[in-house]
Amino acid sequence: MTRRRFTTTACCSALTVALALGATACGGDPVGTASNGDSSLSGQTLTVAGVWSGAEQKNFQKVLDAFTEKTGAQTRFVSTGDNVSTVVGSKIEGGNAPDVVMVPQVGVLQQFAEQKWLKPLSKATEQSVDTNYAPVWKSYGSVDGTLYGLYFKASNKSTVWYSPEALNTAGVQLPKTYDELLTAGRTVADSGLPAFAVAGEDGWTLTDWFENIYLSQAGPQKYDQLAKHQIKWTDPSVVEALKTLSRLFSDDKLLAGGKKGALATDFPGSVEKVFGPKPEAGMVYEGDFVAGVAKDEFGRKIGEDAKFFPFPRVGTGEAPVVSGGDAAVVLKDGKNQEAAMAFLEYLATPEAAAVWAAEGGFISPNKALDLGAYADPTLRATAQSLIDAGDTVRFDMSDQAPAAFGGTKGAGEWKLLQDFLRDPSDPAATAAALEAAAAKAYSTANQG
């Protein structure tokens, strides 16, 4: 398929800015100082769209501010909510396309590329990726061999966060297996505090629960096959994983507020239930970005009164390592192509990653980032584990699926797993419903 590429003029301008940006990537003046400024992009306003809100949006704004101080370009962030594909599509149709989109799903990135909404990234950005990223990240950001997405923010989605006070009060040890996790949860509940805050209102958190269980129980080969829909969701391995997940979902004793309460809890609310001023649960499963919310919203000291343990292995399987990430892409219909390309080149530097790393709730797949940039030892450890995993890390499965199945609020896998949380009594029926939705979404995506 023929791809439209950015103009030579835009490329050269972006590269010129990149030289200025890169001057302090590994040293020199502090990030964002006026003495480091370059006004070559003055007069341009860069619009960046993404799913972030709250603490994440606040911290990303500091990255945007650092770019402004270095280039003179003004920035504007637009929060899309979870339905990135729908919102961006509407803005393109309305002639109001953002310049850059932070895409949280591989499937959405692929969809945007197939619809010819994206511009290939500059040679400078691609060189940075080749030098400083494990090959898996370039693969996830590419479609048909062309690099369209730069993974700026990554996550370790195999972490269970807990209140040390809650677990110590219950007298439980950190679990190494899924069976031990449920046993520990029941012991915590017996001590007077529900075990888990589950963010069932946000369907994406439920896909993460499933993926960790499935990767550990079924193994990486099956995981890769299911992610590509090379096996059906009615495969016995899927039904077995749903049965394993139902052991948690069917036990109201383990869930803060029971199933009904879980379905009314969004992700920030689930963190609040564990680390807020009035704890309602002892543990919350989600990625390392839990730390940013616990720290910024509730003043918790990460590594002291907010800790994590790795998601435990299921049965005889290995402990899972599931990752996710947000890829920056440049839209063809954006009005500030030069600034957009320069911004992507900036995001590819360790300097840009260091801005958010210092704030917490963030890890970078960029190997050139000094681990000392992270705000605390806990985040440093999660970042090191991601870098060490290299190409063995498995990307979030739902993020690899077409958006209609794996990335749309109130539809596909998100909705069906919410239905499963509401009534986890029939894993086989849920698997059949998942397969029907997946088959339709992949068929439509392939036709497109």
Side-chain angles (χ1 to χ4, degrees):
M1 183 179 296
T2 301
R3 304 284 179 182
R4 179 181 173 189
R5 296 182 177 274
F6 54 89
T7 64
T8 303
T9 300
C11 174
C12 291
S13 297
L15 289 175
T16 299
V17 174
L19 293 175
L21 296 176
T24 59
C26 297
D29 292 340
V31 173
T33 59
S35 63
N36 243 2
D38 181 333
S39 61
S40 61
L41 295 178
S42 293
Q44 295 193 40
T45 298
L46 181 76
T47 300
V48 182
V51 302
W52 298 319
S53 61
E56 288 183 306
Q57 180 179 341
K58 177 183 175 182
N59 290 335
F60 182 61
Q61 185 61 50
K62 295 182 180 181
V63 179
L64 294 174
D65 292 345
F67 179 71
T68 294
E69 291 189 27
K70 296 186 73 63
T71 66
Q74 297 301 307
T75 63
R76 184 171 71 97
F77 181 78
V78 177
S79 184
T80 64
D82 288 332
N83 292 327
V84 178
S85 178
T86 302
V87 172
V88 171
S90 297
K91 288 185 176 295
I92 290 175
E93 290 178 6
N96 190 31
D99 302 300
V100 173
V101 180
M102 307 301 295
V103 180
Q105 290 106 10
V106 175
V108 173
L109 186 153
Q110 293 170 343
Q111 173 192 336
F112 284 8
E114 294 300 328
Q115 291 175 325
K116 301 182 180 179
W117 289 355
L118 304 182
K119 295 179 74 72
L121 302 188
S122 72
K123 294 298 183 184
T125 300
E126 187 164 10
Q127 183 177 358
S128 293
V129 172
D130 288 338
T131 302
N132 295 326
Y133 288 69
V136 66
W137 296 104
K138 184 174 184 180
S139 174
Y140 286 129
S142 299
V143 177
D144 295 338
T146 298
L147 181 63
Y148 291 103
L150 168 74
Y151 277 91
F152 174 65
K153 183 178 187 288
S155 59
N156 182 339
K157 302 185 84 172
S158 297
T159 52
V160 181
W161 294 81
Y162 68 96
S163 161
E165 180 181 356
L167 267 61
N168 289 339
T169 297
V172 301
Q173 300 297 316
L174 298 185
K176 302 295 185 182
T177 69
Y178 187 76
D179 287 345
E180 291 177 2
L181 177 67
L182 299 185
T183 299
R186 294 187 183 100
T187 303
V188 171
D190 288 340
S191 73
L193 191 68
F196 298 99
V198 173
E201 184 178 324
D202 289 328
W204 59 267
T205 67
L206 305 183
T207 71
D208 293 344
W209 271 101
F210 171 82
E211 288 155 4
N212 276 276
I213 289 172
Y214 189 79
L215 177 57
S216 182
Q217 192 169 49
Q221 183 178 2
K222 284 277 193 180
Y223 186 97
D224 291 342
Q225 290 173 335
L226 188 60
K228 298 174 183 177
H229 202 219
Q230 293 174 345
I231 59 174
K232 293 183 177 182
W233 282 78
T234 49
D235 189 89
S237 63
V238 175
V239 177
E240 191 63 28
L242 289 170
K243 287 180 180 178
T244 300
L245 183 55
S246 73
R247 293 171 57 198
L248 170 66
F249 286 178
S250 62
D251 191 344
D252 275 354
K253 181 179 181 180
L254 293 175
L255 307 176
K259 291 185 283 291
K260 184 177 180 180
L263 286 164
T265 302
D266 62 9
F267 166 66
S270 70
V271 180
E272 181 177 6
K273 285 181 183 296
V274 178
F275 299 114
K278 297 181 179 180
E280 299 177 46
M283 293 177 277
V284 55
Y285 157 68
E286 249 316 325
D288 51 64
F289 41 84
V290 167
V293 182
K295 170 179 174 288
D296 295 340
E297 300 296 332
F298 307 114
R300 295 294 182 168
K301 295 181 179 179
I302 308 304
E304 294 184 21
D305 52 6
K307 295 184 177 182
F308 80 94
F309 55 84
F311 196 101
R313 61 182 174 85
V314 181
T316 59
E318 298 292 329
V321 180
V322 176
S323 182
D326 296 88
V329 301
V330 176
L331 294 188
K332 285 182 178 180
D333 289 350
K335 297 178 177 62
N336 296 285
Q337 299 293 316
E338 182 183 4
M341 285 295 173
F343 183 60
L344 269 289
E345 291 171 15
Y346 174 60
L347 290 184
T349 67
E351 176 186 2
V355 175
W356 195 337
E359 302 300 324
F362 170 92
I363 60 175
S364 171
N366 192 325
K367 295 182 291 185
L369 176 63
D370 186 340
L371 290 174
Y374 289 99
D376 59 76
T378 301
L379 287 178
R380 202 168 300 136
T382 59
Q384 183 69 67
S385 67
L386 182 76
I387 296 298
D388 289 347
D391 274 2
T392 67
V393 67
R394 287 301 188 275
F395 206 89
D396 184 299
M397 187 187 298
S398 64
D399 287 356
Q400 299 182 56
F405 179 67
T408 301
K409 187 174 183 178
E413 189 181 1
W414 291 16
K415 179 183 183 300
L416 291 170
L417 288 179
Q418 287 174 322
D419 292 343
F420 184 63
L421 171 58
R422 186 175 292 107
D423 179 8
S425 64
D426 196 342
T430 295
L434 287 164
E435 172 54 27
K440 181 179 179 181
Y442 278 89
S443 176
T444 300
N446 290 337
Q447 289 173 4

